[in-house]
Short mmCIF file of all heavy atoms in Angstrom, two decimals:
data_model
loop_
_atom_site.label_atom_id
_atom_site.label_comp_id
_atom_site.label_asym_id
_atom_site.label_seq_id
_atom_site.Cartn_x
_atom_site.Cartn_y
_atom_site.Cartn_z
N PHE A 86 2.68 -12.91 26.56
CA PHE A 86 1.64 -12.39 27.44
C PHE A 86 1.50 -13.18 28.75
O PHE A 86 1.41 -12.56 29.82
CB PHE A 86 0.29 -12.31 26.69
CG PHE A 86 -0.79 -11.66 27.49
CD1 PHE A 86 -0.79 -10.30 27.70
CD2 PHE A 86 -1.83 -12.40 28.02
CE1 PHE A 86 -1.79 -9.68 28.43
CE2 PHE A 86 -2.84 -11.82 28.75
CZ PHE A 86 -2.83 -10.44 28.97
N PRO A 87 1.47 -14.52 28.75
CA PRO A 87 1.36 -15.21 30.04
C PRO A 87 2.49 -14.89 31.01
O PRO A 87 2.25 -14.73 32.23
CB PRO A 87 1.36 -16.71 29.63
CG PRO A 87 0.83 -16.69 28.24
CD PRO A 87 1.40 -15.44 27.64
N GLN A 88 3.70 -14.77 30.51
CA GLN A 88 4.83 -14.41 31.37
C GLN A 88 4.71 -12.98 31.87
O GLN A 88 5.02 -12.70 33.03
CB GLN A 88 6.17 -14.58 30.62
CG GLN A 88 6.56 -16.01 30.35
CD GLN A 88 5.82 -16.64 29.20
OE1 GLN A 88 5.39 -15.96 28.25
NE2 GLN A 88 5.60 -17.95 29.24
N ILE A 89 4.26 -12.08 31.00
CA ILE A 89 4.05 -10.70 31.40
C ILE A 89 3.03 -10.61 32.53
O ILE A 89 3.20 -9.87 33.50
CB ILE A 89 3.61 -9.83 30.20
CG1 ILE A 89 4.72 -9.69 29.16
CG2 ILE A 89 3.07 -8.48 30.61
CD1 ILE A 89 5.89 -8.84 29.59
N MET A 90 1.96 -11.39 32.42
CA MET A 90 0.93 -11.36 33.44
C MET A 90 1.43 -11.87 34.80
O MET A 90 0.95 -11.45 35.83
CB MET A 90 -0.30 -12.14 33.01
CG MET A 90 -1.10 -11.43 31.93
SD MET A 90 -1.57 -9.75 32.34
CE MET A 90 -2.60 -10.00 33.78
N LYS A 91 2.42 -12.75 34.78
CA LYS A 91 3.03 -13.21 36.04
C LYS A 91 3.77 -12.07 36.73
O LYS A 91 3.86 -12.04 37.95
CB LYS A 91 3.99 -14.36 35.77
CG LYS A 91 3.27 -15.65 35.42
CD LYS A 91 4.27 -16.77 35.14
CE LYS A 91 3.53 -18.02 34.71
NZ LYS A 91 4.45 -19.08 34.28
N LEU A 92 4.26 -11.09 35.96
CA LEU A 92 4.98 -9.94 36.52
C LEU A 92 4.03 -8.81 36.91
O LEU A 92 4.43 -7.86 37.56
CB LEU A 92 5.98 -9.40 35.48
CG LEU A 92 7.05 -10.36 35.00
CD1 LEU A 92 7.85 -9.71 33.87
CD2 LEU A 92 7.96 -10.77 36.13
N SER A 93 2.78 -8.93 36.51
CA SER A 93 1.81 -7.87 36.73
C SER A 93 1.47 -7.74 38.20
O SER A 93 1.24 -8.71 38.91
CB SER A 93 0.54 -8.15 35.94
OG SER A 93 -0.46 -7.21 36.26
N ALA A 94 1.41 -6.47 38.65
CA ALA A 94 1.01 -6.20 40.04
C ALA A 94 -0.48 -6.31 40.21
O ALA A 94 -0.98 -6.66 41.27
CB ALA A 94 1.47 -4.80 40.44
N GLU A 95 -1.23 -6.04 39.12
CA GLU A 95 -2.67 -6.07 39.17
C GLU A 95 -3.15 -7.44 38.71
O GLU A 95 -2.86 -7.88 37.62
CB GLU A 95 -3.26 -5.01 38.25
CG GLU A 95 -2.82 -3.62 38.60
CD GLU A 95 -3.23 -2.59 37.56
OE1 GLU A 95 -4.24 -2.80 36.89
OE2 GLU A 95 -2.51 -1.61 37.42
N LYS A 96 -3.87 -8.11 39.55
CA LYS A 96 -4.39 -9.43 39.20
C LYS A 96 -5.86 -9.30 38.83
O LYS A 96 -6.73 -9.88 39.42
CB LYS A 96 -4.21 -10.40 40.37
CG LYS A 96 -2.77 -10.56 40.84
CD LYS A 96 -1.88 -11.12 39.74
CE LYS A 96 -0.44 -11.24 40.23
NZ LYS A 96 0.50 -11.37 39.16
N VAL A 97 -6.10 -8.47 37.79
CA VAL A 97 -7.47 -8.19 37.35
C VAL A 97 -8.07 -9.45 36.72
O VAL A 97 -9.22 -9.75 36.89
CB VAL A 97 -7.48 -7.02 36.33
CG1 VAL A 97 -8.89 -6.77 35.81
CG2 VAL A 97 -6.92 -5.78 36.98
N PHE A 98 -7.23 -10.20 36.01
CA PHE A 98 -7.71 -11.43 35.40
C PHE A 98 -6.57 -12.43 35.38
O PHE A 98 -5.40 -12.06 35.37
CB PHE A 98 -8.27 -11.21 34.00
CG PHE A 98 -7.35 -10.47 33.06
CD1 PHE A 98 -6.46 -11.14 32.25
CD2 PHE A 98 -7.38 -9.07 33.00
CE1 PHE A 98 -5.61 -10.46 31.41
CE2 PHE A 98 -6.54 -8.39 32.14
CZ PHE A 98 -5.65 -9.09 31.35
N ASP A 99 -6.90 -13.69 35.41
CA ASP A 99 -5.94 -14.77 35.45
C ASP A 99 -5.82 -15.38 34.06
O ASP A 99 -6.83 -15.66 33.42
CB ASP A 99 -6.40 -15.82 36.47
CG ASP A 99 -5.38 -16.88 36.74
OD1 ASP A 99 -4.22 -16.74 36.28
OD2 ASP A 99 -5.69 -17.89 37.38
N VAL A 100 -4.60 -15.60 33.61
CA VAL A 100 -4.42 -16.20 32.29
C VAL A 100 -4.33 -17.74 32.37
O VAL A 100 -4.40 -18.41 31.36
CB VAL A 100 -3.16 -15.65 31.57
CG1 VAL A 100 -3.35 -14.19 31.26
CG2 VAL A 100 -1.92 -15.90 32.33
N LYS A 101 -4.23 -18.25 33.58
CA LYS A 101 -4.12 -19.69 33.75
C LYS A 101 -5.38 -20.37 33.20
O LYS A 101 -6.48 -19.94 33.47
CB LYS A 101 -3.93 -20.02 35.22
CG LYS A 101 -3.61 -21.47 35.50
CD LYS A 101 -3.31 -21.70 36.95
CE LYS A 101 -2.86 -23.12 37.17
NZ LYS A 101 -3.80 -23.94 37.85
N ASP A 102 -5.18 -21.41 32.42
CA ASP A 102 -6.26 -22.19 31.84
C ASP A 102 -7.14 -21.38 30.86
O ASP A 102 -8.27 -21.73 30.61
CB ASP A 102 -7.16 -22.81 32.92
CG ASP A 102 -6.39 -23.77 33.80
OD1 ASP A 102 -5.48 -24.46 33.27
OD2 ASP A 102 -6.66 -23.82 35.00
N ARG A 103 -6.60 -20.27 30.36
CA ARG A 103 -7.36 -19.50 29.36
C ARG A 103 -6.70 -19.66 28.01
O ARG A 103 -5.48 -19.77 27.88
CB ARG A 103 -7.37 -18.01 29.72
CG ARG A 103 -8.17 -17.72 30.98
CD ARG A 103 -8.76 -16.32 30.89
NE ARG A 103 -9.30 -15.92 32.19
CZ ARG A 103 -10.54 -16.19 32.56
NH1 ARG A 103 -11.35 -16.86 31.79
NH2 ARG A 103 -10.97 -15.75 33.73
N LYS A 104 -7.52 -19.66 26.98
CA LYS A 104 -7.02 -19.65 25.62
C LYS A 104 -6.64 -18.18 25.33
O LYS A 104 -7.35 -17.27 25.76
CB LYS A 104 -8.08 -20.10 24.64
CG LYS A 104 -8.54 -21.52 24.85
CD LYS A 104 -9.74 -21.83 24.01
CE LYS A 104 -10.38 -23.13 24.46
NZ LYS A 104 -11.71 -23.31 23.93
N ILE A 105 -5.57 -17.97 24.60
CA ILE A 105 -5.15 -16.63 24.25
C ILE A 105 -5.12 -16.51 22.74
O ILE A 105 -4.45 -17.31 22.07
CB ILE A 105 -3.77 -16.31 24.86
CG1 ILE A 105 -3.84 -16.39 26.40
CG2 ILE A 105 -3.30 -14.93 24.42
CD1 ILE A 105 -2.50 -16.26 27.08
N VAL A 106 -5.88 -15.55 22.23
CA VAL A 106 -5.97 -15.34 20.78
C VAL A 106 -5.42 -13.94 20.47
O VAL A 106 -5.93 -12.96 21.01
CB VAL A 106 -7.42 -15.45 20.31
CG1 VAL A 106 -7.52 -15.20 18.81
CG2 VAL A 106 -8.00 -16.80 20.65
N GLY A 107 -4.42 -13.90 19.62
CA GLY A 107 -3.87 -12.63 19.19
C GLY A 107 -4.58 -12.15 17.93
O GLY A 107 -4.91 -12.95 17.05
N ILE A 108 -4.82 -10.83 17.86
CA ILE A 108 -5.54 -10.27 16.72
C ILE A 108 -4.77 -9.06 16.23
O ILE A 108 -4.57 -8.09 16.98
CB ILE A 108 -6.98 -9.88 17.11
CG1 ILE A 108 -7.72 -11.12 17.63
CG2 ILE A 108 -7.70 -9.29 15.91
CD1 ILE A 108 -8.77 -10.81 18.62
N ALA A 109 -4.34 -9.12 14.99
CA ALA A 109 -3.68 -7.99 14.33
C ALA A 109 -4.74 -7.22 13.56
O ALA A 109 -5.50 -7.79 12.78
CB ALA A 109 -2.60 -8.48 13.39
N CYS A 110 -4.79 -5.89 13.78
CA CYS A 110 -5.77 -5.03 13.15
C CYS A 110 -5.03 -3.94 12.38
O CYS A 110 -4.01 -3.45 12.81
CB CYS A 110 -6.66 -4.35 14.20
SG CYS A 110 -7.37 -5.44 15.43
N GLY A 111 -5.59 -3.54 11.23
CA GLY A 111 -4.95 -2.46 10.50
C GLY A 111 -5.82 -1.85 9.41
O GLY A 111 -6.72 -2.52 8.90
N THR A 112 -5.55 -0.58 9.09
CA THR A 112 -6.27 0.07 8.00
C THR A 112 -5.64 -0.27 6.66
O THR A 112 -6.35 -0.33 5.65
CB THR A 112 -6.28 1.60 8.19
OG1 THR A 112 -4.96 2.05 8.41
CG2 THR A 112 -7.16 2.02 9.33
N ARG A 113 -4.35 -0.51 6.63
CA ARG A 113 -3.67 -1.02 5.43
C ARG A 113 -3.06 -2.38 5.81
O ARG A 113 -2.07 -2.42 6.54
CB ARG A 113 -2.59 -0.03 4.95
CG ARG A 113 -3.19 1.19 4.31
CD ARG A 113 -2.14 2.16 3.81
NE ARG A 113 -1.35 2.80 4.87
CZ ARG A 113 -1.77 3.84 5.62
NH1 ARG A 113 -2.98 4.33 5.40
NH2 ARG A 113 -1.00 4.37 6.52
N PHE A 114 -3.68 -3.43 5.35
CA PHE A 114 -3.31 -4.79 5.79
C PHE A 114 -3.24 -5.66 4.54
O PHE A 114 -4.20 -6.38 4.19
CB PHE A 114 -4.37 -5.31 6.76
CG PHE A 114 -3.92 -6.36 7.73
CD1 PHE A 114 -4.42 -6.38 9.02
CD2 PHE A 114 -2.99 -7.32 7.38
CE1 PHE A 114 -4.03 -7.33 9.94
CE2 PHE A 114 -2.57 -8.29 8.28
CZ PHE A 114 -3.09 -8.30 9.55
#
Side-chain angles (χ1 to χ4, degrees):
F86 186 73
Q88 289 77 29
I89 292 290
M90 287 307 298
K91 288 179 184 173
L92 301 173
S93 173
E95 301 171 29
K96 303 298 180 198
V97 177
F98 53 91
D99 188 9
V100 295
K101 189 174 186 251
D102 299 324
R103 293 209 191 273
K104 299 170 192 166
I105 298 173
V106 178
I108 302 150
C110 310
T112 50
R113 287 181 292 281
F114 205 144

